[in-house]
Amino acid sequence: MLRDHPHRLAIRDEVHARPVVLVPNACRLRRLVFLPEDGRTVGAILETLRNWCAARGLASPGPETRQYSFLRGTGADGFTVTFGFHNEFTSLTWSSPPGDTVVTPTDIGLEIVADLALVSATIIDIREESALTADILDACDTASLCHVSIESGKAEIATDLVEDEDGFVHYEFAAGALTPLRRSILARRLFEVESYSKLALLGLPEVRAAGAELGALETEISAVIGALPTIEGVEASGAAIAALNNLSLRVAVLTDSLSYRMAASQAYGQIVADRLDTLQDFTTGTGANLSVYVENRVGPALRTLKATEKRLQGAAQKIERAALMINARNGLELGIQNSAILGTISKTARSQFLLQQTVEGLSIIAITYYLIAVLGYALAGPIHLMHWDKEWVMGALTPVALIVVWIGSRLLWRKHQD
């Protein structure tokens, strides 16, 4: 019996998590993209959708559903509604007849996302023709008109990327010569280009808002580093270290507040580049190239985010290097001080050693003196009986007593050492 990997089921489901929803030959597609706020998660939105579907007799999506579609209405007035659940955002897409003007149709689940923050709103008008007419192009803003041919000339796309009075960006898609599957895939690609472009640009306002603080941090860091050559003494070094610690904390807080949004924007930007690459569009001569136009708007923003990320990393590295230099200087100064202290201790120890030797010598002489005095009293009787001269006897005993005392002191010193 073969044993499945614990994630095999999840991997299999991910491949088919967001199947392509087939669209009619001619219709109006709308997509809204929302970011949850105030701690509300995509999972919580999915749970709300499950309850909404249960209340209307619709099959409820599973707890791990990434895309869920259902039909509302009948006949020409029917809607195909699709909820998409991504790691960070939720999308709501629905189809309607060509030229439909109802921005907020009822009973498609708009109330589920009504309290979320809208990031992107897109309309794609799919037309039965394989080329766009002049009146459609004339309705676009000439300054930002993008008119491209795709699929080796089988289809055309036009947009000016300008929001209408309802906040939607319009794309005109002449897809009459395409198969239903290919038409649906390309419509999805256009939705992704527009949605991910807006999501990629979300990091730019935050980075711009933090620009003044980052500039002030860089100035303060440069000031501290510039003052390093003039720092002398433990107190000045301590003040510099405290300043660097404060700057390091501020850089860490700023990096933490921006890192997620910058990483997400760069990831979304890469997705936009991938989608544009697969679109393989080329200009028709009546407007700009869509891929180039979008890249020219999104690319500089992403490079700004990348530059800000490098500035934050550079600020942190400067602080680290400055702290290392101060610590190295403090270590050198401490080594010099320790060397001087050791020299003083060495001199003191030598002086004590010499003093100890002097004291030991004087002690031997003093002990010998008292020993001779004791012997003088002890031998007074025998010397008198033997009629010896006392001074000669004491003089003869003095070297012997001195040697005995010296030997005794050496033996005692060795005993103490052991």
Side-chain angles (χ1 to χ4, degrees), residues 6 11 27 65 91 127 229 241 247 289 318 326 334 346 366 368:
I11 294 171
C27 65
T65 298
S91 64
R127 300 180 176 275
I241 288 291
L247 289 170
N289 182 284
K318 286 181 180 179
I326 293 176
L334 183 61
S346 177
T368 302

Side-chain angles (χ1 to χ4, degrees), residues 166-400:
D166 295 317
F168 286 82
V169 173
H170 285 251
Y171 284 80
E172 301 291 344
F173 184 18
L178 301 178
T179 65
L181 177 59
R182 193 60 187 163
R183 176 175 64 245
S184 303
I185 291 174
L186 291 172
R188 180 172 181 165
R189 290 288 179 265
L190 291 178
F191 274 137
E192 291 174 336
V193 167
E194 180 62 27
S195 301
Y196 286 119
S197 295
K198 297 295 176 58
L199 290 165
L201 293 172
L202 277 181
L204 189 59
E206 294 187 16
V207 166
R208 285 175 174 170
E213 183 179 358
L214 178 56
L217 280 171
E218 290 173 329
T219 301
E220 293 181 43
I221 293 170
S222 297
V224 173
I225 294 176
L228 290 183
T230 62
I231 293 177
E232 294 183 359
V234 176
E235 185 176 349
S237 296
I241 288 291
L244 288 174
N245 286 339
N246 178 262
L247 289 170
S248 179
L249 178 62
R250 290 165 59 189
V251 169
V253 171
L254 186 59
T255 301
D256 182 69
S257 66
L258 296 177
S259 60
Y260 176 80
R261 193 73 264 156
M262 291 193 299
S265 291
Q266 292 171 16
Y268 290 136
Q270 185 59 54
I271 295 175
V272 172
D274 293 341
R275 298 300 184 264
L276 290 173
D277 185 59
T278 59
L279 198 61
Q280 295 184 352
D281 59 323
F282 57 92
T283 182
T284 60
T286 56
N289 182 284
L290 179 62
S291 298
V292 175
Y293 190 92
V294 173
E295 170 59 27
N296 287 343
R297 269 62 186 174
V298 177
L302 296 179
R303 285 187 282 275
T304 298
L305 300 183
K306 192 66 177 178
T308 301
E309 184 180 24
K310 289 183 177 179
R311 288 174 65 188
L312 287 168
Q313 293 174 351
Q317 290 171 355
K318 286 181 180 179
I319 293 173
E320 183 179 0
R321 285 197 299 267
L324 289 174
M325 286 189 288
I326 293 176
N327 289 332
R329 169 185 284 185
N330 289 343
L332 179 60
E333 292 180 353
L334 183 61
I336 294 173
Q337 293 175 1
N338 290 340
S339 178
I341 292 172
L342 289 174
T344 303
I345 293 174
S346 177
K347 290 180 181 179
T348 302
R350 179 170 177 78
S351 299
Q352 290 178 342
F353 176 73
L354 294 174
L355 180 61
Q356 181 181 355
Q357 284 186 323
T358 302
V359 171
E360 286 180 355
L362 293 174
S363 298
I364 291 172
I365 293 173
I367 293 171
T368 302
Y369 173 78
Y370 286 110
L371 179 61
I372 292 299
V374 172
L375 288 174
Y377 286 111
L379 298 175
I383 292 174
H384 180 72
L385 291 174
M386 298 297 295
H387 303 286
W388 291 343
D389 188 279
K390 185 178 180 178
E391 286 76 9
W392 280 100
V393 173
M394 291 297 102
L397 290 175
T398 297
V400 176

Side-chain angles (χ1 to χ4, degrees), residues 90-124:
T90 299
S91 64
L92 173 58
T93 309
W94 69 94
S95 63
S96 58
D100 173 59
T101 58
V102 180
V103 178
T104 56
T106 59
D107 209 27
I108 67 168
L110 277 172
E111 60 270 29
I112 297 173
V113 293
D115 60 338
L116 304 181
L118 180 64
V119 176
S120 173
T122 312
I123 289 178
I124 299 178

